[in-house]
Amino acid sequence: MISSSLKLGYFSLIIATLFWGGNFVLGKVLSGSVQPITLTYLRWLPAFLILALLFFRPTLRAIPLFKPRLGVMWVLGLLGVILFPATLYEGLKTTTALNASLYLAISPVLVLLLNRLAFKEQISPIILIGAIISLLGVLWLLMQGELSRLVNLSINKGDLWAIASTVSWAVYCCVIRLRPQGISNTVFLTVLVGLAVITLTPFFIYEYTTESAKNLANLTALQWSGIGYLIIGPSILSYAFWNFGIAIVGSAKGTVMTNFTPLFAAIFSIILLNEAVHIYHIISAVLITVGILICSYKKY
């Protein structure tokens, strides 16, 4: 029987993935009005200010701990805070949130393959089979069930951007093992976001002066409230719930719960955005899910 504290831990992890799933829907809604870099910056700058206000002192005390790994921290910020959302928002301009959510579902398999390449972790034959099955699901989605699309290279650019987003997140999940030890998750997140915001600032200024200024002036109150959700939900509350849940459940079992993110994203995109579900979506989802289940069963 599962204890009440363990139930609370799993509930917290599900809430975190629910917030992250909503990021796909809001990203789709806002991507047509706000440029990707600008949207990423508007999401993370206020989040950083809130984090800095809350965790300013413990972050200063932790400087000697993360200073030797500042390069690793910068890479993690570049991958997880900048590239992951910016490429996703770019992709959502021309692909559906449903497609993007299915691509994200492949990230656990990519993590296994990348860990093999970078850290020489062993992959058993059954895990390799699971990875191949999931990758076939991604190819089927790219082709929309038609081999001619792959042969003629008539692939939606938005899908490629969404795949790039998934790859950046998978690389982030691999590199995070190199994070500085001995610092809390809140301090880690504060420094990570701070470095990312500093890196992103000149690109935001350029995009703002060339494209975004006029667009932002025309945003409605509803669109600004959507940006507010991105700041509070996927950027702050999700990490708070996630870290709390992982502390109870443990990272090994908790990591599997990330698969709820593409599930929620798919559900929200169908219900809220009325995105059509085709046969190739179902076939792709089945192949990806089967592959992940094979990999997860053997891994845990």
Side-chain angles (χ1 to χ4, degrees):
M1 186 174 181
I2 301 177
S3 66
S4 57
S5 62
L6 203 58
K7 289 179 181 178
L8 180 61
Y10 280 115
F11 176 75
S12 297
L13 295 177
I14 291 173
I15 293 297
T17 59
L18 188 147
F19 280 124
W20 283 325
N23 179 47
F24 284 76
V25 174
L26 267 299
K28 179 64 179 178
V29 171
L30 294 168
S31 62
S33 304
V34 186
Q35 293 299 314
I37 291 176
T38 299
L39 185 56
T40 302
Y41 194 79
L42 290 177
R43 170 185 170 181
W44 285 112
L45 176 62
F48 170 66
L49 295 176
I50 294 171
L51 289 168
L53 184 65
L54 293 174
F55 308 111
F56 177 75
R57 291 182 179 179
T59 301
L60 286 182
R61 290 196 297 267
I63 288 178
L65 295 175
F66 65 73
K67 192 174 180 181
R69 292 290 182 93
L70 207 57
V72 173
M73 296 285 286
W74 179 81
V75 170
L76 287 170
L78 180 65
L79 290 167
V81 179
I82 297 177
L83 290 179
F84 173 57
T87 51
L88 174 62
Y89 297 147
E90 179 65 34
L92 287 172
K93 287 182 178 180
T94 51
T95 193
T96 64
L98 178 57
N99 279 17
S101 67
L102 289 175
Y103 292 130
L104 180 64
I106 199 68
S107 60
V109 174
L110 288 180
V111 170
L112 288 173
L113 298 176
L114 290 171
N115 278 334
R116 170 58 181 168
L117 292 174
F119 301 106
K120 309 303 181 184
E121 288 189 358
Q122 293 297 317
I123 297 181
S124 66
I126 190 67
I127 287 181
L128 187 59
I129 291 173
I132 292 172
I133 292 173
S134 286
L135 290 174
L136 285 174
V138 170
L139 283 175
W140 193 260
L141 184 60
L142 270 175
M143 297 185 300
Q144 296 184 12
E146 299 175 10
L147 185 60
S148 59
R149 287 181 176 271
L150 194 60
V151 174
N152 299 325
L153 296 178
S154 58
I155 297 172
N156 187 339
K157 289 183 179 179
D159 289 291
L160 297 179
W161 278 111
I163 290 174
S165 176
T166 296
V167 171
S168 69
W169 181 251
V171 176
Y172 170 87
C173 292
C174 291
V175 178
I176 200 171
R177 66 165 62 192
L178 302 177
R179 60 171 283 184
Q181 300 300 310
I183 64 174
S184 66
N185 287 320
T186 51
V187 169
F188 173 72
L189 181 61
T190 302
V191 176
L192 201 70
V193 175
L195 290 172
V197 167
I198 292 171
T199 303
L200 196 57
T201 295
F203 298 96
F204 164 72
I205 292 172
Y206 174 78
E207 189 174 80
Y208 180 81
T209 54
T210 56
E211 297 182 67
S212 298
K214 185 181 294 185
N215 292 339
L216 292 180
N218 294 325
L219 290 184
T220 65
L222 189 60
Q223 288 172 317
W224 278 111
S225 66
I227 294 174
Y229 168 84
L230 294 180
I231 296 168
I232 302 300
S235 304
I236 296 179
L237 289 180
S238 57
Y239 283 92
F241 277 106
W242 184 260
N243 292 335
F244 177 77
I246 287 293
I248 297 174
V249 175
S251 59
K253 294 181 179 179
T255 302
V256 182
M257 303 297 288
T258 57
N259 293 327
F260 275 97
T261 298
L263 174 62
F264 282 127
I267 293 172
F268 292 156
S269 63
I270 294 169
I271 296 176
L272 301 177
L273 300 179
N274 295 318
E275 292 185 350
V277 181
H278 301 284
I279 294 297
Y280 66 80
H281 283 126
I282 298 173
I283 294 174
S284 297
V286 169
L287 288 171
I288 291 171
T289 302
V290 168
I292 289 173
L293 287 175
I294 291 173
C295 293
S296 299
Y297 176 76
K298 281 295 179 180
K299 186 178 179 183
Y300 300 109

